[in-house]
Amino acid sequence: MLFEEYDPRDDKMLQVMDNDGRIINPQWKPDIPDELVLEAYKFMNFARTVDLMAVSYQRQGRMYTYPPNLGQEAISTAIGKLMRPQDWLVPAFREMSAWLLKGARPRDIFLYFGGHEDGSKFSGAPNFLPSAVPIASQLQHAAGIGYAIKYKKQDSVVFAFSGDGSTSEGDFHEALNFAAVWKAPVIFTIQNNQYAISVPVKNQTASLNLAIKSLAYGIPGIKVDGNDFFAVYRASSEAVQHTRAGNGPVLIEAVTFRQGAHTTSDDPSLYRSQEEEKAWSEKDPIKRLRGYLDSMGLWNPGDDEPMLEEYKNEVEKEFAVYENYPDYKVEDVFQYHYKEMPEDLKHQQINYEKFLNWKEAQK
Amino acid sequence: MLFEEYDPRDDKMLQVMDNDGRIINPQWKPDIPDELVLEAYKFMNFARTVDLMAVSYQRQGRMYTYPPNLGQEAISTAIGKLMRPQDWLVPAFREMSAWLLKGARPRDIFLYFGGHEDGSKFSGAPNFLPSAVPIASQLQHAAGIGYAIKYKKQDSVVFAFSGDGSTSEGDFHEALNFAAVWKAPVIFTIQNNQYAISVPVKNQTASLNLAIKSLAYGIPGIKVDGNDFFAVYRASSEAVQHTRAGNGPVLIEAVTFRQGAHTTSDDPSLYRSQEEEKAWSEKDPIKRLRGYLDSMGLWNPGDDEPMLEEYKNEVEKEFAVYENYPDYKVEDVFQYHYKEMPEDLKHQQINYEKFLNWKEAQK
Amino acid sequence: MSSQVMTMVQALTNALDIKLAEDPDIVIYGEDVGVEGGVFRVTSGLQKKYGVERVFDSPLAESGIVGAAVGMCAVGLRPVVEIQFSGFAFPAFNQILAHVARMRNRSRGRYGAQMVIRMPYGGGIKALEHHSESMEALFGHIPGLKVVIPSTPYDAKGLLISAIETDDPVIFMEPKKVYRAIKQEVPETKFAIPIGKAKVVAEGSDITVISYGAEIREVQRAMIMAKEKGISVELIDLRSIYPIDRETIAASIKKTGRVLSVTEGPTSFGAGAELISIAVEEAFLSLEAPPTRLAGFDTVPPLPKGEHHYFHTPERIFYEIKKVVEYY
Amino acid sequence: MSSQVMTMVQALTNALDIKLAEDPDIVIYGEDVGVEGGVFRVTSGLQKKYGVERVFDSPLAESGIVGAAVGMCAVGLRPVVEIQFSGFAFPAFNQILAHVARMRNRSRGRYGAQMVIRMPYGGGIKALEHHSESMEALFGHIPGLKVVIPSTPYDAKGLLISAIETDDPVIFMEPKKVYRAIKQEVPETKFAIPIGKAKVVAEGSDITVISYGAEIREVQRAMIMAKEKGISVELIDLRSIYPIDRETIAASIKKTGRVLSVTEGPTSFGAGAELISIAVEEAFLSLEAPPTRLAGFDTVPPLPKGEHHYFHTPERIFYEIKKVVEYY
Ligand SMILES: Cc1ncc(C[n+]2csc(CCOP(=O)(O)OP(=O)(O)O)c2C)c(N)n1
Ligand SMILES: Cc1ncc(C[n+]2csc(CCOP(=O)(O)OP(=O)(O)O)c2C)c(N)n1
Ligand SMILES: [Mg+2]
Ligand SMILES: [Mg+2]
């Protein structure tokens, strides 16, 4: 019903609240308890704290390249809240809220963007693939996971993320097509944050919107306001229902805006205007949800500060764990490539260790 | 107007004549002179003669693997008739009528499928790429040609061919997307002959039809009866008009059936039924066009035999040219790889010639 | 142990059959592998026997085929996928290099890519363009993969079983020229040949020839000519080009002092270069002649009419053997 | 002739600028190369100067970028496309191997692929995964391509101009570690450095070191250590790995008798193997020690925290030089 009403051919966008958090579309407001909304609000603040601090640690030279999430938190928070432990998360790299809700800790995120593969292990988090750097390539994995879930008759759903730019890659197409033919339980969420680095969506595709690409695969697609927690939550719940009923994948286009730089090495002033940035900051997802909570009497503006203070402390502790992480060992370069390490590789390690000994001896 | 009336979302298929050649949809019958229809009929017969003889030469061991066109002649004849010398043909491998109309001679086709690269040179035919074996990869070239045409302000249109199976490849997606973003003058024709080797379309995609994939790129798409010369002609002419007016690419799904084997090494009885084959032979494109000509008094059934006899003789002569083609020389292996041949390659050739001399001397 | 005379195709089918029967986590898919049983019929009859959920046709998209397998492995399946011809593996190259080969390291051992990517390779069968290539060196250069190439029906079965059972991803390249060309007694029951161990096909004293796949038979023919001229050839069938069996190579070269590699792919940056390097690294002081490579030209394999110039005939191999043996 | 001190980035921009100005058939496109001028700013300012039809952003799809260029070449354009990082060239691998490299041969010389595919490559810059690879050997193995790698701003300009002007397709790999690390006087006017000619960077008598790209600087640092120990190193900068300059390599090894290759990519089936083979083929009798390769491990480059183990430090190179020189 939702998918029919918001048929992407009409280019309508599901929106539940306005920029101030007023409910403008009660019909589609998800039926969830206040506590969950409150939790989500807090969590978005937590994720934003991790994100902002990551950027600032990077600026201080204490971490390497990092892709800010600022402004996109509603999407992966709403989806993350829907994820069950048996569900799969197939990430791109800009849906940190989902990572955290799946069980990653801030230290993992620091470790990964701090340049250590151990940050991709996510020991405590089941069914969670590491971040895939080559754009859209991870979506193929989501299709395969979907097939395997069906094959094994497991009750799981796959949540796959990618960006607007990803829709141009061949892998995007193949993945959606495979998942659709296989009726695999995969929810593909495109975070349409308007840009792929410096390239605006209009240079990426001539299609009416991104959700309409679902028609090429015979699956439902829906365009939602990605800065509206309720809209994303609603669309995703319906998608989960659809796919769990055995109907195959769903494509969600979540319209949002990357308020920060593409990564810490990017300079957005080269390709977008301050007006554009300003217009979007009006639609900030945290601000909007706070507007809603305010109006419902669920939150006082004064509660923000102590909350953020607490989060900051927590994140600082996590960062300390990262900064005190054991040094990268020679074995760490070699040991994980194969289950059974080939002789050649062993010898390469041994020879390298000989060099290290020689170097040591020089001192 | 045509594209709106035959919106792929409604899954309608443009058909102008029925299986007996009766005009059932005069509104969309293209306004072309009888001579052109007659020419097209004859030409389809010619192409079929080349095709059938190629299959039989292959069976006699006088040629290598060959992909039969039987039953698909209407599509590339209609499009071939629309092609002007300045237009580009970007082929797959099963649209021989278009090859011939573009200026290839049967000897070229024999030479190519007889295992000689000279068969891809098409000396007399301008703007005609060689056949591309990796499925869908050629469509990217079509997009690039389209860009270059626009860039050079040339008055050309690109006709790109591929099969139903090709729609699953990432390259299909990227090519249509690039062409659409660039508003490049490219007409993408999918010959939907129901199978990719043994795999039926329903295992290839879950989409309503193939034409609807156009929506993913924001371009017009239309599904036409590919065994109906008039329907293909009409849809393609409108597509040409659309694209020449600067509106960018069009996607045509031409529904047809490969009456023969996938290639001469294939055995269709493994994957399809005789009933299916029989049902489709009722819709044979030559038979249908003959029905039309008959009813218009433009053709006597008795005219077929002498025509086919003449074509057979002509094709035999062409085949003789192929069979008497000069032997493959050592230089032919080497000389075309680079404009400036690297030293290493030169030495490889020299060393090989030394071996040949030695071998000669052994005798 | 009962055995049966099999072609390589039959031996491969048999290996797949055995593994499908014993391990429900194995699924097989690719283009035309279901109803049709593959264009070379390696999966013939398996869909009927094991059902369409375990043996099935995928859409025509190599990146999708391989990429989906990466996901399946994460859930614990062991996919054995077919790429119709090795010439069509390249649309999947990014998935192979970026994910198949790397998932284990990236996830620090948490997720593996316990899959086999089967593909017919190699030339000399008068085929269309892209149906004759031998680009195994490209896979050999990608860290994280194993690359296996059998030359006989017996080896094909034993190696495929090992490939399916190893937890590392294996590129399994099948010499299509051999598919039906030779028949051999192959045990009907399960057996495995370890990956990474070369086979000394024939012992000899004058020169070591290193090869694999379809070239083995051509070398064997050349060896008949060599024998007539009194040249004793030791023939090593690598069976696996990564990992490569340095020990066997080293021992042989130390004995013969001379070595020729015979491989089909282009010369430059090819497998022969790796073999020469190993010869030099392992047995420099034993070398009585420059280790030599006979490889394909740095050209694409010509279409059938020119094929006889490209693929190595026994004469050509003999000629190179002679040159190496006659050095000084 | 006036010249200017330039970084490699500036020298590349300058080369593109010169060619855009003189040849209207040149177009430049790729991800972010337009408005932004590329993530490394190599195309900075060019869209403004030459317009959006000649310098533009493409959709995010590498196969499309390269595949479209094949079509453009058929119409007579000379596209210079950018792949954002060489680690993202692999979605385009099929187009490169199947079409870029083959169109000339397939069409018997009728259509060429007069394009340049530029890509920053190589590591040591503390980057994310897939941003540090050095997989040039994969391209070297594909018949029909030329593969060029500059090591200095001056060479970058001269080689890029040649690459754009040659009618053969060129994979142009730019060592991102060098992009801004060194500055050099570079003439402002047009000049070309022929593709396929190596440069003897330093003459020496004890050992030949063959390298290219960012490794050249590391070797030069190692040479300082070597000199202290009285070792005289002859350093060859290949500049082009296909075609490869056998003559220069041969002449040098015949003089020094010892050779070490220093390259970043994985060892097995890598560039070092080709260089060892050439050493053996061209100068076997002059060799006083086994030709040796120092290459990357057969692993993916580790993320930044482990990078120091993978990429060659001057010490590491010196250590290997010493071993080769001390052999016997
Ligand atoms: C195959 C590939 N090509 C290029 C890149 C370099 N790159 C990293 S992020 C990015 C833009 C991605 O845009 P989008 O999909 O919209 O995601 P966003 O960054 O906006 O979240 C590019 C081009 C890459 N990672 N992978
Ligand atoms: C990339 C690639 N994968 C596989 C093949 C092998 N192959 C040749 S034709 C074919 C089926 C093509 O089907 P379709 O696109 O429907 O065209 P048709 O043969 O029906 O005309 C396949 C799988 C190929 N040529 N290229
Ligand atoms: Mg984006
Ligand atoms: Mg078909």
Side-chain angles (χ1 to χ4, degrees):
Chain A
M1 233 177 59
L2 174 71
F3 299 139
E4 274 118 62
E5 190 160 328
Y6 287 87
D7 189 321
R9 292 176 278 193
D10 308 324
D11 202 24
K12 284 201 292 185
M13 177 168 82
L14 175 65
Q15 213 164 27
V16 173
M17 60 179 163
D18 70 9
N19 287 354
D20 298 318
R22 266 184 300 260
I23 301 300
I24 51 172
N25 194 356
Q27 183 196 352
W28 295 115
K29 179 162 181 288
D31 184 22
I32 45 176
D34 286 345
E35 302 87 79
L36 179 60
V37 183
L38 211 50
E39 253 179 43
Y41 174 73
K42 289 189 192 160
F43 181 79
M44 277 160 69
N45 275 286
F46 178 65
R48 183 168 286 189
T49 307
V50 177
D51 188 64
L52 291 174
M53 288 176 73
V55 171
S56 98
Y57 288 130
Q58 196 284 336
R59 290 231 178 90
Q60 296 162 27
R62 296 160 80 184
M63 256 177 51
Y64 301 111
T65 317
Y66 172 81
N69 284 240
L70 190 68
Q72 303 187 202
E73 297 90 347
I75 302 166
S76 54
T77 299
I79 291 175
K81 282 285 178 195
L82 278 164
M83 271 190 302
R84 301 163 303 164
Q86 73 266 42
D87 293 334
W88 279 85
L89 173 58
V90 178
F93 50 84
R94 206 189 299 280
E95 54 290 305
M96 192 230 286
S97 302
W99 296 30
L100 295 171
L101 288 167
K102 188 68 192 158
R105 297 155 304 177
R107 68 184 69 169
D108 298 322
I109 288 156
F110 296 136
L111 206 48
Y112 179 66
F113 291 107
H116 201 308
E117 290 84 352
D118 283 3
S120 283
K121 201 164 51 181
F122 305 127
S123 328
N127 299 354
F128 180 4
L129 288 190
S131 176
V133 172
I135 300 294
S137 60
Q138 74 277 13
L139 305 179
Q140 305 271 26
H141 313 158
I145 292 174
Y147 187 91
I149 284 171
K150 269 189 84 171
Y151 179 80
K152 294 200 159 213
K153 302 194 172 29
Q154 293 173 348
D155 169 38
S156 304
V157 170
V158 189
F159 292 93
F161 282 88
S162 69
D164 43 297
S166 84
T167 64
S168 297
E169 287 280 5
D171 272 6
F172 171 86
H173 174 72
E174 297 187 14
L176 270 79
N177 191 48
F178 271 64
V181 169
W182 290 345
K183 280 193 180 300
V186 186
I187 295 171
F188 294 98
T189 301
I190 306 173
Q191 298 199 76
N192 177 359
N193 64 4
Q194 312 305 319
Y195 288 89
I197 310 187
S198 71
V199 181
V201 192
K202 72 166 191 312
N203 290 353
Q204 206 65 250
T205 180
S207 70
L208 184 62
N209 52 53
L210 302 179
I212 202 173
K213 290 177 188 277
S214 57
L215 270 78
Y217 314 105
I219 61 171
I222 185 168
K223 178 168 156 181
V224 304
D225 182 340
N227 287 6
D228 176 341
F229 173 78
F230 294 123
V232 180
Y233 196 94
R234 183 59 187 250
S236 313
S237 331
E238 303 252 345
V240 168
Q241 251 181 303
H242 176 91
T243 207
R244 290 188 63 197
N247 301 313
V250 176
L251 178 64
I252 297 173
E253 173 187 1
V255 178
T256 184
F257 189 76
R258 155 167 64 70
Q259 292 182 25
H262 169 71
T263 66
T264 43
S265 7
D266 175 48
D267 172 10
S269 75
L270 283 174
Y271 54 82
R272 64 187 196 192
S273 67
Q274 287 191 323
E275 294 79 70
E276 192 184 358
E277 293 179 359
K278 185 138 179 301
W280 276 98
S281 74
E282 302 291 306
K283 303 185 199 166
D284 182 82
I286 292 188
K287 172 189 149 287
R288 281 166 77 180
L289 197 55
R290 182 172 46 223
Y292 169 80
L293 292 171
D294 271 2
S295 69
M296 301 292 287
L298 292 166
W299 191 255
N300 299 314
D303 295 346
D304 271 349
E305 213 185 291
M307 170 186 72
L308 291 173
E309 197 54 37
E310 181 200 323
Y311 290 164
K312 203 169 151 253
N313 290 336
E314 193 176 332
V315 175
E316 266 167 8
K317 275 186 216 130
E318 287 284 316
F319 194 77
V321 177
Y322 151 70
E323 283 204 320
N324 294 310
Y325 199 77
D327 277 353
Y328 204 100
K329 293 186 296 294
V330 174
E331 305 90 274
D332 292 338
V333 178
F334 291 91
Q335 66 179 325
Y336 298 108
H337 276 74
Y338 292 89
K339 188 78 172 276
E340 305 150 31
M341 205 199 279
E343 289 301 314
D344 263 27
L345 202 47
K346 274 187 214 156
H347 280 114
Q348 289 175 12
Q349 182 176 341
I350 291 167
N351 283 334
Y352 180 64
E353 283 164 342
K354 277 191 200 150
F355 158 69
L356 290 179
N357 290 338
W358 170 84
K359 196 175 142 192
E360 202 50 46
Q362 297 306 99
K363 288 184 185 155
Chain B
M1 237 179 53
L2 174 70
F3 298 139
E4 274 118 62
E5 190 161 328
Y6 287 87
D7 189 321
R9 293 177 276 193
D10 307 324
D11 202 24
K12 283 201 294 184
M13 176 167 82
L14 175 66
Q15 213 165 26
V16 173
M17 60 177 160
D18 70 8
N19 286 353
D20 298 319
R22 266 183 300 260
I23 300 300
I24 51 171
N25 194 355
Q27 183 196 352
W28 296 114
K29 181 163 179 288
D31 185 22
I32 44 176
D34 287 346
E35 300 88 80
L36 179 60
V37 184
L38 210 52
E39 252 179 44
Y41 174 72
K42 287 189 195 162
F43 181 78
M44 278 160 70
N45 275 286
F46 178 66
R48 183 168 287 188
T49 306
V50 177
D51 187 63
L52 292 174
M53 288 175 73
V55 172
S56 99
Y57 287 129
Q58 196 282 339
R59 291 227 179 94
Q60 295 163 28
R62 297 161 79 185
M63 256 177 55
Y64 301 111
T65 316
Y66 173 81
N69 283 240
L70 190 67
Q72 302 187 204
E73 297 88 348
I75 302 166
S76 55
T77 299
I79 290 174
K81 283 286 177 194
L82 278 165
M83 269 189 304
R84 301 163 304 163
Q86 73 265 41
D87 292 335
W88 279 84
L89 173 58
V90 179
F93 50 84
R94 206 190 299 282
E95 54 289 307
M96 193 230 287
S97 303
W99 296 29
L100 294 170
L101 288 167
K102 188 68 192 158
R105 296 155 305 177
R107 70 185 67 170
D108 298 322
I109 289 156
F110 296 136
L111 207 48
Y112 179 66
F113 291 108
H116 200 308
E117 289 84 351
D118 284 3
S120 282
K121 200 165 51 182
F122 306 126
S123 330
N127 299 354
F128 180 4
L129 288 190
S131 176
V133 172
I135 299 295
S137 59
Q138 73 277 13
L139 305 178
Q140 305 271 27
H141 313 159
I145 293 174
Y147 187 90
I149 285 171
K150 267 188 84 170
Y151 179 80
K152 295 201 158 212
K153 303 195 174 25
Q154 293 173 349
D155 168 38
S156 303
V157 170
V158 189
F159 293 94
F161 282 88
S162 69
D164 43 296
S166 83
T167 62
S168 297
E169 287 280 5
D171 272 6
F172 171 87
H173 174 72
E174 297 187 14
L176 269 78
N177 192 49
F178 272 63
V181 169
W182 290 345
K183 281 194 182 295
V186 186
I187 296 171
F188 294 99
T189 301
I190 305 173
Q191 299 198 77
N192 177 358
N193 64 5
Q194 311 306 319
Y195 288 89
I197 310 186
S198 71
V199 181
V201 192
K202 73 166 192 314
N203 290 353
Q204 206 64 251
T205 180
S207 71
L208 185 62
N209 52 52
L210 302 179
I212 202 173
K213 291 177 187 276
S214 56
L215 270 78
Y217 314 106
I219 62 171
I222 185 167
K223 177 169 155 182
V224 304
D225 182 341
N227 287 6
D228 177 341
F229 172 79
F230 293 122
V232 180
Y233 196 95
R234 183 58 187 251
S236 313
S237 331
E238 305 250 346
V240 167
Q241 252 181 301
H242 177 91
T243 207
R244 289 188 63 196
N247 300 312
V250 177
L251 177 65
I252 297 174
E253 173 188 2
V255 178
T256 183
F257 189 75
R258 156 167 63 70
Q259 292 182 26
H262 169 71
T263 66
T264 44
S265 9
D266 174 48
D267 172 9
S269 75
L270 283 175
Y271 55 82
R272 65 187 194 192
S273 67
Q274 288 191 323
E275 295 80 71
E276 191 183 359
E277 294 179 358
K278 186 137 178 302
W280 276 98
S281 73
E282 303 290 306
K283 302 186 200 167
D284 181 82
I286 292 188
K287 175 190 147 284
R288 282 167 76 180
L289 197 55
R290 185 171 45 223
Y292 169 78
L293 292 171
D294 272 1
S295 70
M296 300 293 287
L298 293 166
W299 191 254
N300 299 314
D303 295 346
D304 271 352
E305 215 186 290
M307 171 187 69
L308 292 173
E309 195 55 35
E310 183 200 322
Y311 291 163
K312 207 171 148 249
N313 289 335
E314 194 177 331
V315 175
E316 267 166 8
K317 272 185 218 132
E318 287 284 315
F319 195 75
V321 176
Y322 152 69
E323 283 205 319
N324 294 310
Y325 199 78
D327 276 355
Y328 204 102
K329 294 187 295 291
V330 174
E331 304 90 272
D332 292 338
V333 178
F334 292 91
Q335 65 179 323
Y336 298 108
H337 277 73
Y338 292 89
K339 189 78 170 276
E340 304 150 31
M341 204 199 281
E343 289 300 314
D344 263 25
L345 202 47
K346 274 187 213 155
H347 280 114
Q348 289 176 12
Q349 182 175 341
I350 290 166
N351 283 334
Y352 181 64
E353 282 165 344
K354 276 191 198 150
F355 157 69
L356 290 179
N357 291 338
W358 169 84
K359 196 173 142 193
E360 202 51 44
Q362 296 306 97
K363 288 185 185 156
Chain C
M1 199 168 68
S2 81
S3 72
Q4 216 182 298
V5 175
M6 294 187 197
T7 60
M8 184 180 279
V9 166
Q10 289 165 332
L12 291 164
T13 312
N14 182 232
L16 295 172
D17 193 356
I18 288 170
K19 288 305 302 174
L20 279 164
E22 74 175 28
D23 184 351
D25 282 337
I26 292 171
V27 294
I28 293 179
Y29 64 98
E31 294 156 14
D32 304 289
V33 304
V35 175
E36 180 171 86
V39 293
F40 289 105
R41 309 288 183 265
V42 172
T43 56
S44 190
L46 299 176
Q47 180 174 81
K48 214 166 206 164
K49 192 159 171 189
Y50 297 98
V52 74
E53 300 204 328
R54 299 194 61 196
V55 181
F56 54 98
D57 294 328
S58 70
L60 205 178
E62 289 76 11
S63 183
I65 290 169
V66 173
V70 172
M72 292 180 188
C73 287
V75 186
L77 299 189
R78 306 186 78 88
V80 182
V81 302
E82 177 175 303
I83 299 292
Q84 199 158 76
F85 286 86
S86 69
F88 306 131
F90 304 111
F93 206 69
N94 188 55
Q95 284 290 344
I96 293 172
L97 182 148
H99 295 297
V100 174
R102 288 172 173 232
M103 189 54 88
R104 177 176 295 280
N105 182 62
R106 181 181 300 137
S107 68
R108 303 273 92 173
R110 189 160 170 205
Y111 299 110
Q114 61 283 0
M115 70 176 75
V116 180
I117 306 178
R118 292 181 40 243
M119 50 179 90
Y121 89 98
I125 57 148
K126 305 279 186 199
L128 293 167
E129 202 194 343
H130 296 287
H131 290 69
S132 301
E133 1 294 290
S134 186
M135 299 299 274
E136 63 280 5
L138 297 178
F139 298 111
H141 190 52
I142 300 176
L145 302 178
K146 292 178 175 173
V147 185
V148 172
I149 306 183
S151 70
T152 65
Y154 182 92
D155 282 8
K157 176 171 175 180
L159 288 166
L160 182 53
I161 285 177
S162 291
I164 296 174
E165 293 184 347
T166 178
D167 285 331
D168 296 312
V170 178
I171 307 290
F172 196 86
M173 302 179 77
E174 302 165 2
K176 57 177 110 63
K177 199 178 170 191
V178 180
Y179 262 162
R180 296 174 196 283
I182 47 175
K183 297 188 178 208
Q184 191 182 18
E185 290 273 337
V186 179
E188 280 177 4
T189 49
K190 182 173 155 181
F191 66 96
I193 297 173
I195 292 173
K197 294 274 163 271
K199 178 171 70 180
V200 179
V201 179
E203 299 203 15
S205 52
D206 298 328
I207 181 173
T208 300
V209 174
I210 308 176
S211 190
Y212 48 82
E215 295 271 45
I216 293 290
R217 285 218 307 161
E218 310 305 325
V219 175
Q220 285 172 318
R221 288 179 179 139
M223 283 165 69
I224 298 172
M225 301 180 202
K227 201 171 171 192
E228 275 170 22
K229 303 282 175 193
I231 302 172
S232 163
V233 176
E234 177 140 317
L235 173 59
I236 296 178
D237 179 354
L238 277 185
R239 300 204 287 205
S240 149
I241 72 150
Y242 196 89
I244 213 160
D245 185 350
R246 280 178 177 260
E247 243 174 87
T248 301
I249 296 173
S252 179
I253 302 179
K254 280 177 187 159
K255 182 171 76 176
T256 62
R258 292 168 198 263
V259 57
L260 173 72
S261 70
V262 180
T263 62
E264 266 182 53
T267 303
S268 292
F269 299 85
E274 183 61 29
L275 292 168
I276 288 180
S277 302
I278 291 175
V280 161
E281 285 164 355
E282 300 291 334
F284 184 67
L285 295 176
S286 312
L287 292 172
E288 289 159 31
T292 302
R293 51 181 166 177
L294 171 61
F297 309 127
D298 287 350
T299 69
V300 300
L303 292 187
K305 289 273 195 259
E307 204 172 90
H308 59 291
H309 286 309
Y310 188 96
F311 296 106
H312 305 127
T313 56
E315 284 89 357
R316 182 81 204 281
I317 298 168
F318 168 66
Y319 170 79
E320 297 292 335
I321 288 175
K322 206 166 139 300
K323 279 206 302 195
V324 176
V325 171
E326 286 171 359
Y327 185 88
Y328 270 19
Chain D
M1 201 168 65
S2 80
S3 71
Q4 217 183 300
V5 175
M6 295 188 197
T7 62
M8 185 181 281
V9 167
Q10 289 165 332
L12 291 165
T13 312
N14 182 233
L16 294 172
D17 193 355
I18 289 171
K19 288 304 301 175
L20 279 164
E22 75 175 27
D23 184 350
D25 283 337
I26 291 172
V27 294
I28 293 179
Y29 65 97
E31 294 155 14
D32 304 288
V33 304
V35 175
E36 180 172 86
V39 292
F40 288 104
R41 308 288 184 264
V42 172
T43 57
S44 190
L46 299 176
Q47 181 175 80
K48 215 168 205 165
K49 191 158 172 192
Y50 297 99
V52 75
E53 301 205 329
R54 298 193 64 195
V55 182
F56 54 98
D57 293 329
S58 70
L60 206 178
E62 290 76 11
S63 183
I65 290 170
V66 173
V70 172
M72 292 180 188
C73 288
V75 187
L77 299 189
R78 306 186 78 88
V80 181
V81 302
E82 176 175 304
I83 298 292
Q84 200 158 77
F85 287 86
S86 69
F88 306 131
F90 304 110
F93 206 69
N94 188 54
Q95 285 291 343
I96 293 172
L97 181 148
H99 295 296
V100 174
R102 288 173 173 229
M103 189 53 87
R104 178 176 294 281
N105 182 61
R106 182 183 297 138
S107 68
R108 303 274 92 175
R110 190 160 170 204
Y111 299 110
Q114 60 283 2
M115 70 175 76
V116 179
I117 306 178
R118 293 181 40 246
M119 50 180 90
Y121 88 99
I125 57 149
K126 306 278 185 200
L128 293 168
E129 202 195 343
H130 296 288
H131 291 68
S132 301
E133 357 300 285
S134 186
M135 298 300 272
E136 63 281 5
L138 297 178
F139 297 112
H141 190 52
I142 299 177
L145 302 177
K146 292 177 174 173
V147 185
V148 171
I149 306 182
S151 69
T152 65
Y154 183 91
D155 282 8
K157 176 170 174 180
L159 287 167
L160 182 53
I161 285 176
S162 290
I164 296 174
E165 292 184 348
T166 177
D167 285 331
D168 296 312
V170 177
I171 307 291
F172 196 87
M173 302 178 76
E174 302 165 3
K176 58 178 108 63
K177 198 178 169 189
V178 180
Y179 263 162
R180 296 175 194 282
I182 47 176
K183 296 190 178 207
Q184 192 181 19
E185 289 274 338
V186 178
E188 281 177 5
T189 49
K190 182 174 155 181
F191 66 95
I193 296 174
I195 292 173
K197 295 273 163 271
K199 179 171 68 178
V200 179
V201 178
E203 299 205 14
S205 52
D206 297 329
I207 181 173
T208 300
V209 174
I210 309 175
S211 191
Y212 48 82
E215 295 271 45
I216 292 290
R217 285 219 305 163
E218 309 306 323
V219 175
Q220 285 172 319
R221 288 176 178 140
M223 284 165 67
I224 299 171
M225 303 180 201
K227 200 171 172 190
E228 276 170 20
K229 303 282 174 190
I231 301 173
S232 162
V233 175
E234 176 139 319
L235 172 58
I236 296 177
D237 179 353
L238 277 185
R239 297 204 287 204
S240 149
I241 72 149
Y242 196 89
I244 212 160
D245 185 350
R246 281 178 178 259
E247 242 173 89
T248 301
I249 296 173
S252 179
I253 301 178
K254 280 177 187 157
K255 182 172 74 175
T256 62
R258 292 167 198 264
V259 58
L260 172 73
S261 70
V262 180
T263 61
E264 266 181 54
T267 303
S268 291
F269 299 85
E274 183 61 29
L275 292 168
I276 289 181
S277 301
I278 290 174
V280 161
E281 285 164 356
E282 301 290 334
F284 185 67
L285 295 176
S286 313
L287 291 172
E288 289 159 31
T292 301
R293 50 181 167 177
L294 171 60
F297 309 126
D298 288 350
T299 70
V300 300
L303 292 186
K305 290 270 196 261
E307 198 170 275
H308 59 291
H309 286 309
Y310 187 95
F311 296 106
H312 305 128
T313 56
E315 285 89 358
R316 183 81 204 282
I317 297 168
F318 168 67
Y319 171 78
E320 296 293 334
I321 288 175
K322 204 166 141 300
K323 278 206 304 193
V324 176
V325 171
E326 287 171 358
Y327 185 87
Y328 267 21

